[in-house]
């Protein structure tokens, strides 16, 4: 597909998260809670490494980023290696005028060079303080590269957009960035950028970082199980076989690629809000609610013969997020509904 143009965007991008992984998983027919509007987005994939579903989801992310955060995202996957990737990305950003639809030079261009196994992110002038080079390099090395190594290019791009969104929201909250209020600069590619090696392959999920000698059994209480989970995240341990996970959760995590960047993000959230959790219990089920934090979902727990386990699998089925990082329920029944009036 030399140029894919989609005319579909979602005011709320529906995503699911489990073990820190922010991946769009709901196909269009299942997203009843999302409203639709008509706009343009631009995505070039001349190597056909993205599935049709991934293109639709990424296109929707592009439009939501533009309309809600005033950030214009361009993605380019050229048919052959352009050689000098830095020059190519710079010139492409200028020629496509990525950022022209914003209040300033607020464009981001992601270029994936399949042949050279390189990825580069170019950042517009008015976003350089929001996405500095060190942050961009962190995303490329710790988020995109692991996904690409396992042939999950679409998932890697979508997860990268989520990190960009989180960083932009942090900048807004800190007063560093105001959507809709920018400069009149139009030197779109005069900002920062970075690039990293990212070979595209089809390896199985990498568990080499697992601290497998840790014994992590079920816990005496839901609070204890959540505390253990926070400890697992703090170690950036992707081991899916801890017994503090329900069997369904172990099966889910065994198939899912989890990056250290994802675990780091979830760890920071939970560590800061751990003391705010309110636990609601009914028989062998329990829910930890963070009522004053719409960005932190409820966590589900189930008690077995040996104690309480965390049920990330049920969370993945039930909980969705919009682009503003606010959780809501998918239209499905779940045994944990008792905790929500």
């Amino acid at each position: 597909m030399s140029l894919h143009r989609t005319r579909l965007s979602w005011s709320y991008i529906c995503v699911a998260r489990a073990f820190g992984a922010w991946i769009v998983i709901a196909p269009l027919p299942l997203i009843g809670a999302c409203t639709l509007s008509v706009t343009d987005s631009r995505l070039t994939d001349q190597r056909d490494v993205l599935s049709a579903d991934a293109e639709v989801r990424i296109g929707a992310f592009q439009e939501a980023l533009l309309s809600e955060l005033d950030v214009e995202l361009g993605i380019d996957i050229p048919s052959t290696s352009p050689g000098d990737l830095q020059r190519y990305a710079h010139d492409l950003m200028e020629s496509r005028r990525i950022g022209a639809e914003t209040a300033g030079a607020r464009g981001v261009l992601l270029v994936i060079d399949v042949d050279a196994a390189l990825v580069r992110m170019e950042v517009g002038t008015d976003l350089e303080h929001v996405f500095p080079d060190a942050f961009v390099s962190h995303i490329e090395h710790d988020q995109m590269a692991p996904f690409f190594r396992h042939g999950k290019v679409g998932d890697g791009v979508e997860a990268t957009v989520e990190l960009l969104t989180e960083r932009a929201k942090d900048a807004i909250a800190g007063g560093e960035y105001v959507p809709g209020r920018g400069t009149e600069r139009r030197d779109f590619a005069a900002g920062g950028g970075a690039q990293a090696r990212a070979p595209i392959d089809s390896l199985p999920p990498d568990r080499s970082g697992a601290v497998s000698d840790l014994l992590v059994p079920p816990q005496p209480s839901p609070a204890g199980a959540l505390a253990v989970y926070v400890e697992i995240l703090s170690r950036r341990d992707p081991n899916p076989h801890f017994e503090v996970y329900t069997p369904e959760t172990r099966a889910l995590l065994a198939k899912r690629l989890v990056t250290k960047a994802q675990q780091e993000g979830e760890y920071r959230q939970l560590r800061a809000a751990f003391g705010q959790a309110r636990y609601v219990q009914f028989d062998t089920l329990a829910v930890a609610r963070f009522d004053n934090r719409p960005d932190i979902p409820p966590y589900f727990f189930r008690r077995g013969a040996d104690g309480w386990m965390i049920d990330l699998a049920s969370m993945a089925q039930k909980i969705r997020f919009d682009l503003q990082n606010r959780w809501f329920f998918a239209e499905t029944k779940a045994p944990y509904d008792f905790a929500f009036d």
Side-chain angles (χ1 to χ4, degrees):
M1 299 170 217
S2 59
L3 180 63
H4 172 78
R5 294 180 63 85
T6 178
R7 301 190 60 82
L8 182 66
S9 75
W10 306 337
S11 298
Y12 293 92
I13 305 300
C14 298
V15 300
R17 179 174 72 174
F19 205 87
W22 296 77
I23 303 296
V24 179
I25 64 170
L28 283 173
L30 300 182
I31 305 177
C34 297
T35 57
L36 303 178
S37 61
V38 178
T39 49
D40 277 338
S41 68
R42 189 170 292 177
L43 167 64
T44 304
D45 177 12
Q46 298 185 47
R47 292 296 292 263
D48 287 333
V49 297
L50 299 173
S51 68
D53 286 344
E55 287 189 353
V56 171
R57 294 193 300 260
I58 293 169
F61 263 129
Q62 289 172 304
E63 294 308 318
L65 275 171
L66 182 60
S67 63
E68 298 187 25
L69 296 179
D70 196 31
V71 175
E72 185 174 359
L73 173 66
I75 298 170
D76 183 75
I77 307 175
S79 59
T80 59
S81 176
D84 186 342
L85 190 59
Q86 181 175 355
R87 171 55 59 185
Y88 176 83
H90 178 281
D91 293 346
L92 187 63
M93 196 160 180
E94 286 289 348
S95 63
R96 286 194 184 175
R97 297 173 54 81
I98 296 173
E101 298 299 317
T102 71
R106 294 177 169 179
V108 176
L109 173 64
L110 173 61
V111 180
I112 302 168
D113 184 343
V114 175
D115 291 332
L118 291 173
V119 60
R120 179 171 182 85
M121 188 179 296
E122 200 78 15
V123 177
T125 308
D126 288 348
L127 288 177
E128 192 173 7
H129 67 294
V130 180
F131 307 130
D133 291 354
F135 173 78
V136 171
S137 180
H138 164 65
I139 287 182
E140 292 172 343
H141 283 281
D142 299 330
Q143 186 76 316
M144 281 188 276
F147 275 104
F148 289 7
R149 277 198 302 272
H150 303 289
K152 299 179 180 292
V153 178
D155 289 352
V157 172
E158 292 166 25
T160 295
V161 173
E162 180 56 42
L163 289 185
L164 291 173
T165 300
E166 286 185 9
R167 172 60 195 135
K169 284 173 58 63
D170 287 345
I172 292 171
E176 307 169 59
Y177 177 66
V178 181
R181 188 187 305 166
T183 69
E184 293 301 316
R185 298 185 65 164
R186 282 296 180 264
D187 45 346
F188 303 108
Q195 67 187 49
R197 279 194 54 77
I200 297 174
D201 211 328
S202 56
L203 300 173
D206 181 12
R207 309 298 182 192
S208 60
V211 188
S212 55
D213 59 342
L214 286 178
L215 179 64
V216 188
Q219 298 296 302
S221 67
L226 186 60
V228 166
Y229 181 57
V230 173
E231 175 66 16
I232 291 172
L233 292 174
S234 74
R235 294 172 179 268
R236 313 293 189 265
D237 193 336
N239 189 341
H241 302 302
F242 293 134
E243 292 183 355
V244 74
Y245 298 143
T246 61
E248 296 82 3
T249 297
R250 288 175 233 161
L252 173 70
L253 297 180
K255 297 183 295 185
R256 177 166 290 182
L257 176 65
V258 178
T259 69
K260 292 182 178 180
Q262 291 168 327
Q263 289 181 305
E264 179 184 353
E266 189 175 9
Y267 169 68
R268 283 190 289 104
Q269 273 196 328
L270 277 179
R271 180 187 60 180
F274 182 81
Q276 303 172 28
R278 179 168 69 89
Y279 296 89
V280 184
Q281 183 176 339
F282 177 72
D283 196 18
T284 60
L285 301 176
V287 174
R289 293 182 51 167
F290 300 86
D291 294 337
N292 297 320
R293 292 289 303 271
D295 58 322
I296 299 182
Y299 279 76
F300 298 165
F301 305 88
R302 192 170 78 216
R303 188 175 62 204
D306 297 322
W308 287 93
M309 300 169 286
I310 189 165
D311 189 357
L312 300 175
S314 291
M315 291 172 61
Q317 293 176 350
K318 184 67 175 176
I319 297 171
R320 300 289 182 268
F321 288 78
D322 63 22
L323 193 68
Q324 295 297 326
N325 200 14
R326 299 168 300 208
W327 71 269
F328 62 93
F329 282 142
E331 296 298 322
T332 58
K333 293 288 185 181
Y336 298 92
D337 290 348
F338 68 87
F340 307 92
D341 295 331

